[in-house]
Each structure stands twice: as structure tokens, then as C-alpha cells.
């Protein structure tokens, strides 16, 4: 067994070995490809297993699924399949293919091919490496395009001159890998990247593909660095003509990054943040509400995502005015912040860094967000209060007393409720 594949956990290796054994019985070839190979060589964790088989064999996937007792999802449109094992290991399977782009930036026409052509159609040399999975050569590196050398030299290099024209999303991908891996875009590739972005190639990509690629770059650790570099190399017009990065926004972006990491360390158990949406909201700051709506439709944002972008626009100015005052009652802070998502609250904190505002928000997040009442309408009923609209008022008062720390247990809440005298049945 060769060195790189040994770096995978045993259960992943065993699964790949089984795929190799089955392919060999069928007289086929099978390879591990893509980002997983790149990261195995770099020693970075990546358990996204992509395999390529050659030639096409409709039974291979279903037989492998049966042997692994895995669930199989077939993606007819792309002629690929995903297997999910009982231990939740995911394996993506495709048939080796080469691609022809009928027009720049269009989806390619796919034709069956050998592994060499399959690797040649890929974005960068470092992503065009494969590992042989056949038992005879299990773990053997397949490196037609000097990907390993570029990994050593820390270079992002395209495989052919029209790469950025055929698939302009690679402009964003080049920046993403360059920044993530702390590599350099190789000079000739950089020249071609600038030519393609100068020719407005990103504007020719369908908005949904742009959104997917944009989401990936905005999800990276240290996304502000990525955005800055993307802005330098390609501009941000492809997102929206009103997207810009003045100096003020740069400070804002890195502040967002700080807020995200302090939120994660302070509240590790709260739901994961949609960090990409926070950066996107910042980039869309110059758009009106109507423009945001139009953008959301074009990019296919979900309703909940659009709502958060708009709610930042709509509520942040008034929230800031109120939250920067000293001695704002906790009940009022709660009323302002409770309807807002974590993303919007943290964006407000990042953008308007006044000390009082920050303290008010931190206090709310630590002590009051999602506070649970010590008593419910049911309790009021059980304590003999006839149901009516005033229930809401009582519970609201209870909430305020809890927020102010004047009631801090269920027992105290119930004895406070008992003081109410109301009509009985
Ligand atoms: N690929 C490509 N051109 C694209 C997208 C993908 O050539 N526009 C190829 C690359 O070989 C890439 C592989 O498809 O390695 C898998 O794509 P993806 O999962 O997006 O990339 P990864 O390299 O796995 O990146 P990440 O680590 O971010 O998941």
C-alpha cells in the first residue's frame, strides 16, 4: 500500500479497497480523485471521497452499494451516484469523462473518456491528481500534469489556456484555493485569469452557479481575505453592480470575522451561523430593499436568507440608535433583539462597534436570548385564573421580571402569579 492512502482512516481505506476489488473483478479501472487526493498529499483533513470508474458500467455502483449495505442516490442528469454507508461514509461515484464547452461559460457536453482526459478537464493541476484503487496498485499516485510538484511549489496552475473562459467560476475557485492553502496563482495562469475577468466572463455564468461558488468562498475561514483578493483580481460587479469595497467596508469585514469567532467560542452549543450570508449582507449594503429582493430572486436565495438580508437593512438603524443609549432597560433590549437572527445581531455589533451597544448585545446573548418563562398559560389556568386576553399581559410582565432578575425560579413565578385575583369559574 502506498504512502498517501495510508493517511485515510481505516474504514475509509477498507471501503476504497472494496471498490477497487470489485472494479478489478469486472475488468474496470477505479480511482480516487479531486480534493481528497490533494488534501491527502498536503496532510489536510478531507473525507469527501470522489471516485471515478472507467469504462462506464451501470452495475458497478449498485453492486458496490449492495456489498457495502449502502443507500444509493443516483443523479441521472450528471450520470453520477452517491453511496451512503450505514456508518454515514459518503462516496461519490462518476464515470471518467471529458468535456466539451459548446459556448464559453455554458454547461459542458460530456463524453466518456479515459482517466487522463478526465483529469485534463479539471480546474487546476493540484486538483487533477488521482490515486489508483485497483488491488495490484492500491494507493499508487496518478499524476499526468505535475500536480504533486505544484503542491510542493505551492502553485495554483490551470491545465489549458481556455480554462477560465470555459468555466469562469474557476476565477473564484482560484482565489479560494490560493487563499485557503496560502499558495500563489502561477504567473501565466494569473495573466489568463485577469484576461478572463477583464472580459467580463463571470457575468456570463448563470446566477445560480455563481451563487454556489460565491457561497463556497464566503464560507471559507478568513473569508474577508478571500473577498479582498477577489475584489483585487476580478472586482465584485459579478455579484451586483452596487457591490463595492471601500476602506470602511474592509474594516467591517474583518470585524465580522472577529464577531463570528467570538460567538463560536462563547456559545459553542448555539446553532451554526450562516457566515456566508453575513458577508453577503455586508457586500449588499448599498442595495435598496427592492434591489435586494430582485437580487434574491436572481440568485435563488431562500426566503429565510432574503429575510435576514432585508431585516438587517430595515432594523439595524433603529436598533443602533436604541442600543447605543446607556441604561436601556433589559426588557427594551430584549424587544429589539429577540426578533432578529444571530446573523443580523452580530452584523449590527460588527458594524457599529460602540462600547455600550456591544455590551448591551453581549448581555442579551449571554443571559436573555431564548429565555424560557418559568410559568405558562396552563399554570395560570391551574392556579384558577379564568382564561382571557389578560394572560398575555401577565406572561409579559413575568418575562420582564425574569429579564430583570426579579424572578429567578419557577417557585417564585408561581407565587407571584397567585397574587392575581381574577374571576373564577
Ligand atoms: N472541478 C473542476 N472545475 C470546477 C469544479 C470542480 O475541475 N469548476 C473538479 C476539481 O478536480 C475538483 C473536483 O472537481 O477537485 C471536485 O470539486 P469540488 O468538490 O468543488 O472541489 P474540491 O477540490 O473537493 O474542493 P473543496 O476542498 O473545497 O471541497
Amino acid at each position: 500500500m502506498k504512502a498517501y492512502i495510508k493517511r485515510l482512516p481505516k474504514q475509509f481505506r477498507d471501503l476504497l479497497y472494496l471498490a477497487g476489488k470489485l472494479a478489478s473483478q469486472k475488468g474496470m479501472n477505479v480511482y480516487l480523485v479531486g480534493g481528497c487526493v490533494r488534501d491527502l498529499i498536503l496532510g489536510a483533513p478531507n473525507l469527501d471521497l470522489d471516485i471515478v470508474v472507467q469504462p462506464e458500467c451501470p452495475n458497478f455502483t449498485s453492486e458496490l452499494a449492495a456489498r457495502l449495505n449502502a443507500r444509493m442516490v443516483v443523479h441521472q442528469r450528471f450520470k453520477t451516484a452517491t453511496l451512503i454507508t450505514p456508518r454515514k461514509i459518503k462516496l461519490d461515484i462518476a464515470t471518467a469523462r471529458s468535456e466539451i464547452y459548446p459556448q464559453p461559460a455554458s454547461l459542458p457536453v460530456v463524453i466518456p473518456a479515459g482517466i487522463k482526459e478526465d483529469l485534463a478537464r479539471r480546474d487546476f493541476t493540484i486538483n487533477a491528481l488521482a490515486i489508483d484503487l485497483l488491488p495490484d496498485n492500491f494507493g499508487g499516485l496518478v499524476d499526468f500534469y505535475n500536480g504533486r510538484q505544484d503542491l510542493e511549489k505551492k502553485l495554483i496552475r490551470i491545465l489549458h489556456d481556455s480554462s477560465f473562459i470555459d468555466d469562469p467560476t474557476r476565477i473564484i475557485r482560484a482565489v479560494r484555493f490560493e487563499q485557503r492553502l496560502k499558495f500563489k496563482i502561477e504567473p501565466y495562469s494569473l495573466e489568463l485569469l485577469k484576461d478572463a475577468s477583464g472580459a467580463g466572463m463571470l457575468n456570463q455564468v448563470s446566477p445560480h452557479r455563481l451563487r454556489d461558488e460565491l457561497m463556497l468562498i464566503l464560507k471559507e475561514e478568513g473569508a474577508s481575505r478571500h473577498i479582498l483578493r477577489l475584489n483585487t483580481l476580478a472586482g465584485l460587479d459579478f455579484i451586483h453592480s452596487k457591490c463595492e469595497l471601500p476602506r470602511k467596508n474592509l474594516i467591517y469585514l474583518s470585524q465580522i470575522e472577529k464577531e463570528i469567532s467570538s460567538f463560536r467560542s462563547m456559545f459553542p452549543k448555539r446553532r451554526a451561523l450562516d457566515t456566508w450570508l453575513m458577508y453577503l449582507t455586508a457586500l449588499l449594503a448599498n442595495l435598496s430593499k427592492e434591489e435586494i429582493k430582485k437580487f434574491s430572486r436572481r440568485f435563488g436565495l431562500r426566503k429565510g436568507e432574503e429575510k435576514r438580508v432585508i431585516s438587517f437593512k430595515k432594523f439595524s438603524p433603529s436598533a443602533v440608535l436604541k442600543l447605543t443609549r446607556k441604561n436601556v432597560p433589559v426588557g427594551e433590549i430584549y424587544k429589539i433583539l429577540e426578533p432578529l437572527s444571530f446573523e443580523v445581531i452580530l452584523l449590527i455589533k460588527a458594524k457599529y462597534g460602540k462600547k455600550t451597544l456591544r455590551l448591551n448585545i453581549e448581555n442579551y446573548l449571554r443571559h436573555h436570548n431564548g429565555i424560557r418563562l418559568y410559568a405558562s398559560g396552563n399554570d395560570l389556568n391551574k392556579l384558577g385564573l379564568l382564561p382571557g386576553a389578560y394572560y398575555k399581559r401577565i406572561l409579559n410582565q413575568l418575562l420582564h421580571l425574569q429579564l430583570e432578575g426579579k424572578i429567578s425560579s419557577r417557585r417564585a413565578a408561581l407565587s407571584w402569579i397567585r397574587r392575581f385575583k381574577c374571576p373564577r369559574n
Side-chain angles (χ1 to χ4, degrees):
M1 191 168 41
K2 311 287 171 21
Y4 299 126
I5 204 148
K6 278 193 201 155
R7 295 177 179 172
L8 277 178
K10 185 171 179 319
Q11 11 168 342
F12 287 73
R13 241 170 27 224
D14 290 349
L15 183 154
L16 293 174
Y17 191 79
L18 197 73
K21 216 162 115 189
L22 179 65
S24 143
Q25 283 161 5
K26 291 181 167 294
M28 300 165 61
N29 291 301
V30 60
Y31 303 91
L32 182 66
V33 292
C36 179
V37 180
R38 175 198 68 222
D39 290 340
L40 269 181
I41 298 175
L42 289 173
N46 184 344
L47 297 174
D48 277 345
L49 302 181
D50 282 309
I51 66 169
V52 158
V53 294
Q54 185 271 325
E56 186 170 1
C57 170
N59 297 337
F60 174 82
T61 307
S62 51
E63 282 179 39
L64 185 61
R67 289 196 193 186
L68 293 169
N69 198 13
R71 191 158 63 82
M72 177 168 77
V73 183
V74 178
H75 316 286
Q76 282 302 350
R77 195 168 147 225
F78 302 104
K79 288 200 167 21
T80 58
T82 304
L83 302 188
I84 300 146
T85 72
R87 297 178 114 177
K88 302 275 174 274
I89 301 179
K90 201 165 97 16
L91 181 67
D92 285 315
I93 305 175
T95 306
R97 61 187 198 237
S98 93
E99 291 174 343
I100 297 167
Y101 289 83
Q103 284 150 27
S106 66
L107 282 178
V109 175
V110 169
I111 40 179
I115 187 69
K116 192 168 177 189
E117 291 82 17
D118 186 282
L119 296 174
R121 76 181 164 86
R122 291 171 186 263
D123 49 3
F124 311 116
T125 55
I126 60 165
N127 289 341
L129 288 152
I131 285 179
D132 195 350
L133 298 179
L134 289 187
D136 285 355
N137 185 31
F138 188 69
L141 191 68
V142 179
D143 182 11
F144 292 111
Y145 307 104
N146 295 325
R148 187 165 52 172
Q149 197 181 51
D150 281 342
L151 279 176
E152 274 161 22
K153 290 186 178 166
K154 298 179 181 286
L155 287 177
I156 310 290
R157 186 197 307 269
I158 47 173
L159 285 130
H160 58 88
D161 285 8
S162 59
S163 189
F164 291 121
I165 303 282
D166 287 346
D167 180 355
T169 64
R170 289 175 178 169
I171 296 171
I172 308 172
R173 291 175 69 83
V175 171
R176 180 156 67 87
F177 290 117
E178 180 203 50
Q179 294 301 308
R180 183 206 288 173
L181 302 173
K182 304 208 164 47
F183 279 23
K184 286 254 169 313
I185 303 175
E186 172 275 325
Y188 183 58
S189 304
L190 187 64
E191 213 177 287
L192 293 175
L193 180 152
K194 286 181 181 163
D195 287 350
S197 63
M201 289 311 297
L202 276 168
N203 297 324
Q204 297 199 27
V205 180
S206 79
H208 286 197
R209 285 189 65 213
L210 277 183
R211 172 206 57 203
D212 291 347
E213 212 51 60
L214 192 62
M215 264 173 89
L216 289 177
I217 198 166
L218 297 182
K219 277 181 183 174
E220 291 281 334
E221 280 301 313
S224 54
R225 233 179 339 104
H226 291 244
I227 299 169
L228 186 59
R229 181 70 167 149
L230 188 61
N231 182 49
T232 309
L233 292 183
L236 301 173
D237 275 15
F238 72 93
I239 305 173
H240 193 282
S241 56
K242 285 193 170 176
C243 270
E244 51 171 12
L245 266 195
R247 237 195 97 60
K248 215 171 72 196
N249 267 5
L250 284 184
I251 301 168
Y252 179 29
L253 289 178
S254 57
Q255 194 57 39
I256 293 175
E257 212 167 297
K258 285 189 195 143
E259 294 303 342
I260 291 170
S261 74
S262 85
F263 181 85
R264 282 176 177 156
S265 60
M266 268 201 277
F267 308 111
K269 292 194 176 142
R270 308 251 170 125
R271 77 158 167 84
L273 295 170
D274 284 326
T275 54
W276 67 273
L277 192 67
M278 295 174 68
Y279 291 109
L280 185 64
T281 306
L283 294 175
L284 300 180
N286 290 341
L287 276 67
S288 68
K289 194 173 142 194
E290 280 318 306
E291 285 167 333
I292 294 172
K293 283 188 170 172
K294 218 163 137 194
F295 171 88
S296 296
R297 273 197 300 277
R298 208 169 77 85
F299 263 57
L301 294 193
R302 295 179 181 172
K303 271 283 154 231
E305 292 161 356
E306 176 189 311
K307 204 173 138 203
R308 279 176 278 173
V309 183
I310 290 181
S311 86
F312 177 70
K313 177 110 214 148
K314 198 166 150 194
F315 297 113
S316 62
S318 62
V320 169
L321 274 182
K322 291 176 189 158
L323 294 172
T324 34
R325 291 197 321 253
K326 282 199 177 129
N327 304 322
V328 192
V330 275
E332 199 176 325
I333 298 176
Y334 179 87
K335 220 163 102 189
I336 301 165
L337 295 179
E338 189 67 9
L340 303 179
S341 64
F342 289 142
E343 285 83 1
V344 173
I345 294 173
L346 295 181
L347 279 169
I348 293 176
K349 196 162 169 249
K351 185 152 185 185
Y352 309 93
K354 292 255 171 59
K355 201 170 160 205
T356 332
L357 173 134
R358 301 178 64 80
L359 287 176
N360 281 334
I361 291 182
E362 275 164 27
N363 192 38
Y364 162 79
L365 286 174
R366 258 185 230 282
H367 306 295
H368 302 139
N369 167 247
I371 192 169
R372 278 176 174 237
L373 283 182
Y374 288 124
S376 65
N378 217 359
D379 292 314
L380 299 185
N381 201 2
K382 277 192 200 151
L383 290 174
L385 301 179
L386 203 61
Y390 66 102
Y391 265 32
K392 204 169 156 197
R393 279 202 309 276
I394 296 180
L395 293 175
N396 205 22
Q397 264 188 51
L398 175 61
L399 171 70
H400 278 78
L401 291 169
Q402 282 189 217
L403 288 170
E404 285 158 13
K406 291 180 181 156
I407 287 184
S408 51
S409 69
R410 179 166 162 77
R411 209 163 144 209
L414 295 180
S415 86
W416 173 77
I417 290 167
R418 279 194 194 94
R419 297 191 324 202
F420 285 86
K421 292 203 172 47
C422 286
R424 286 167 180 277
N425 279 325

